Amino acid sequence: MIPVRPAKRFQSTANVKPERLRKGLLKGQFLFAPDISIPENDVLLPATTDNEKSLILAKKLLNEEILSSLRRSKRIGITKYKSATSFDSFIESQCEDGIEARDTGTVKGRGVFTTKKFYRNDYIVEYAGELLTQNEAKHRESVYGRNHKIGCYMYYFKWGEKVFCVDATEETNRLGRLINHSRKNSNCQPKVFVIRDQPRLVLVALRDIEVDEELFYDYGERRKDIIDAFPWLNE
Ligand SMILES: C[S@@+](CC[C@H](N)C(=O)[O-])C[C@H]1O[C@@H](n2cnc3c(N)ncnc32)[C@H](O)[C@@H]1O
């Protein structure tokens, strides 16, 4: 793995209308909530990966009180994929075979690239971090929001009737947290698997992926004001 550096933080918030932002925050869609359709029998998953910009925006627009009220590699085929238990060993062994972090040399900072071929519906990597309840995540947000040096790796998702968050903010050697966004050219997507009654987020190949491709998934942000402020979300 080569040395890599983190992405630059979000910049402009000028085009974001306060009312839209406030509404979005209070609805609980703090940021980048992927609108990913879930095949029947999958556990679920509209989720969030990155709330960094929202924190910046929120700091401008909301006071702390409001803010606080509110962050292998063996190929396995489709048949195996249909059984969630087939991913359990990958998840539990923290399998990250066939991928590595690289500096993209762009504003995106680090990204994750394949070093082997993946097939459609393959397990790629877990979006690993600390599982938080919504309230715990909100508290975490307010703490992180006070430090602009902290990047944003909070991934919100709905499981059953509740919202959870995987907080991957801490710099670890896990790679799921470094996968960048693409709406139009995503080649993987997050899904929830349950192990011992705990939801785990896994990135699964949307199509066959060749060696040396960068991995992308759709962060799912669709709010116009946010996309206007961060146009790369539309790419
Ligand atoms: C979950 S992190 C991904 C890893 C990150 N690139 C890094 O170096 O740590 C999400 C951040 O990466 C950057 N990013 C992700 N996808 C991007 C894209 N398509 N264009 C520009 N920046 C992107 C943004 O700064 C975003 O806040």
Side-chain angles (χ1 to χ4, degrees):
M1 190 182 299
I2 60 172
V4 287
R5 60 180 166 75
K8 290 179 183 168
R9 297 181 63 81
F10 290 108
Q11 302 293 325
S12 168
T13 59
N15 298 327
V16 180
K17 296 185 184 105
E19 287 310 311
R20 284 296 302 273
L21 175 65
R22 188 171 292 112
K23 193 176 166 193
L25 288 169
L26 294 176
K27 273 166 63 182
Q29 291 196 319
F30 210 92
L31 222 248
F32 306 165
D35 178 19
I36 296 166
S37 60
I38 303 161
E40 210 172 327
N41 299 328
D42 272 10
V43 178
L44 73 70
L45 213 272
T48 311
T49 329
D50 194 338
N51 60 3
E52 175 177 7
K53 73 184 179 190
S54 279
L55 287 172
I56 295 168
L57 300 175
K59 282 176 75 69
K60 282 181 179 287
L61 299 169
L62 304 174
N63 61 39
E64 283 295 328
E65 193 179 349
I66 296 173
L67 184 60
S68 66
S69 75
L70 298 206
R71 219 147 106 105
R72 158 177 187 212
S73 222
K74 289 180 183 149
R75 172 188 174 194
I76 57 170
I78 293 171
T79 306
K80 282 192 175 179
Y81 164 71
K82 284 179 178 167
S83 161
T85 55
S86 68
F87 281 5
D88 289 7
S89 60
F90 296 162
I91 297 168
E92 301 221 71
S93 65
Q94 303 188 358
C95 176
E96 302 197 340
D97 292 352
I99 58 175
E100 67 180 17
R102 296 179 192 165
D103 188 337
T104 64
T106 72
V107 70
K108 290 182 289 184
R110 296 168 294 185
V112 179
F113 293 74
T114 56
T115 58
K116 69 156 195 142
K117 178 167 182 168
F118 286 87
Y119 295 85
R120 182 171 178 264
N121 290 324
D122 272 358
Y123 164 97
I124 297 178
V125 68
E126 179 181 9
Y127 187 91
E130 193 179 349
L131 181 67
L132 303 177
T133 64
Q134 189 173 22
N135 283 339
E136 289 169 334
K138 283 174 186 172
H139 175 68
R140 210 56 84 81
E141 294 277 10
S142 65
V143 173
Y144 293 160
R146 291 183 209 124
N147 184 353
H148 281 193
K149 289 184 180 167
I150 296 179
C152 194
Y153 303 82
M154 306 277 282
Y155 195 115
Y156 286 85
F157 65 101
K158 208 173 165 195
W159 183 44
E161 295 303 312
K162 292 184 180 172
V163 174
F164 291 85
C165 173
V166 172
D167 179 6
T169 302
E170 185 185 352
E171 281 288 332
T172 66
N173 59 359
R174 301 303 304 271
L175 296 177
R177 63 190 290 279
L178 300 184
I179 300 178
N180 288 321
H181 160 84
S182 176
R183 180 174 180 175
K184 296 174 181 165
N185 293 302
S186 56
N187 50 17
C188 57
Q189 72 175 134
K191 287 180 175 289
V192 172
F193 291 89
V194 180
I195 300 184
R196 291 188 295 277
D197 296 326
Q198 295 268 296
R200 308 281 288 260
L201 292 173
V202 170
L203 289 146
V204 176
L206 276 171
R207 59 166 172 78
D208 293 356
I209 304 171
E210 303 300 326
V211 177
D212 278 336
E213 284 194 52
E214 183 174 354
L215 294 170
F216 296 105
Y217 65 95
D218 184 356
Y219 287 4
E221 180 58 64
R222 296 293 183 266
R223 287 167 289 178
K224 183 174 182 307
D225 297 337
I226 302 291
I227 292 171
D228 285 348
F230 307 106
W232 56 265
L233 285 165
N234 226 5
E235 293 168 3

